Amino acid sequence: MKKLCLTISLTIGMLYGATAQIQKGNVMMGANISDIKFGLDKPNIFSLNINPKAAWFIQDGLALGGDVNFGLATAKGAGTSISYGIGALGRYYGSKGTDEVVKNSKFFGEATVGVNGINPAGSGGSTNGLGFSFGPGFTYFVTRSIGLETLLKYNGIVGFGSSAYSHTLSLGVGFQIYLPGKSTAKKVERDMN
């Protein structure tokens, strides 16, 4: 019975309890997708970059966590290029301004640092080492728990390989789910009793 009450409390908390998705104790999980190409003409290029992430709000508007990055680009007869990365993530949501332009939205800044690599098909151009990225983003909250977002990021890698430094600019779209943390869930449970 206690588990049923807790499940109902969490559900109510996710749907109606929290007025701020980005408050201390909450958890953010989701992914961004960028560099999507489906070449219909020769050389039939396909490329996709996916970036799952998870973070915990250590204070209102500030989340720390981790992210993973995997990219794939292939063309018929030209081989496959792979990019990868794993690292730490920091995200800060602005407190004012956005809601006056578009209701239920927030601007944010995101930065990452970790181990990254780009290994293109064929010879030359590979870089593996310390990766970093930073840039602005915009989230529109479809519900209190789900945000659709766009993120413009500068990505750099410093390391070793045939190229000591590589950098790109990417525009990604994605979604994030904002879940209540333990403290928020306990507060909702206390409120229900």
Side-chain angles (χ1 to χ4, degrees), residues 115-188:
V115 176
N116 291 59
I118 296 176
N119 298 302
S123 62
S126 71
T127 306
N128 299 282
L130 176 68
F132 62 92
S133 69
F134 56 88
F138 175 79
T139 299
Y140 176 73
F141 292 99
V142 179
T143 69
R144 292 181 177 177
S145 303
I146 299 173
L148 298 177
E149 67 182 38
T150 185
L151 176 61
L152 178 66
K153 285 176 80 170
Y154 175 83
N155 306 287
I157 302 174
V158 178
F160 53 90
S162 57
S163 176
Y165 183 71
S166 97
H167 56 110
T168 61
L169 191 61
S170 64
L171 178 64
V173 295
F175 70 95
Q176 300 298 326
I177 299 172
Y178 299 83
L179 302 171
K182 287 182 181 178
S183 60
T184 306
K186 287 179 183 176
K187 183 177 184 273
V188 170

Side-chain angles (χ1 to χ4, degrees), residues 61-101:
L62 178 63
L64 297 177
D67 78 329
V68 176
N69 187 26
F70 180 74
L72 178 73
T74 185
K76 188 173 182 178
T80 301
S81 300
I82 298 205
S83 63
Y84 65 90
I86 184 166
L89 163 86
R91 187 180 270 201
Y92 179 74
Y93 285 84
S95 59
K96 294 188 177 187
T98 315
D99 231 13
E100 288 129 18
V101 178

Side-chain angles (χ1 to χ4, degrees), residues 6-86:
L6 180 61
T7 303
I8 292 171
S9 297
L10 284 174
T11 304
I12 290 171
M14 284 191 309
L15 295 176
Y16 303 107
T19 58
Q21 304 87 337
I22 57 174
Q23 70 187 131
K24 181 179 179 179
N26 285 357
V27 177
M28 174 190 86
M29 293 185 300
N32 291 82
I33 298 174
S34 61
D35 194 29
I36 302 170
K37 291 181 193 165
F38 296 100
L40 301 177
D41 295 327
K42 290 186 179 183
N44 297 20
I45 296 171
F46 169 76
S47 69
L48 173 70
N49 191 7
I50 186 163
N51 180 217
K53 53 188 82 174
W56 296 264
F57 286 90
I58 60 169
Q59 69 180 37
D60 289 358
L62 178 63
L64 297 177
D67 78 329
V68 176
N69 187 26
F70 180 74
L72 178 73
T74 185
K76 188 173 182 178
T80 301
S81 300
I82 298 205
S83 63
Y84 65 90
I86 184 166

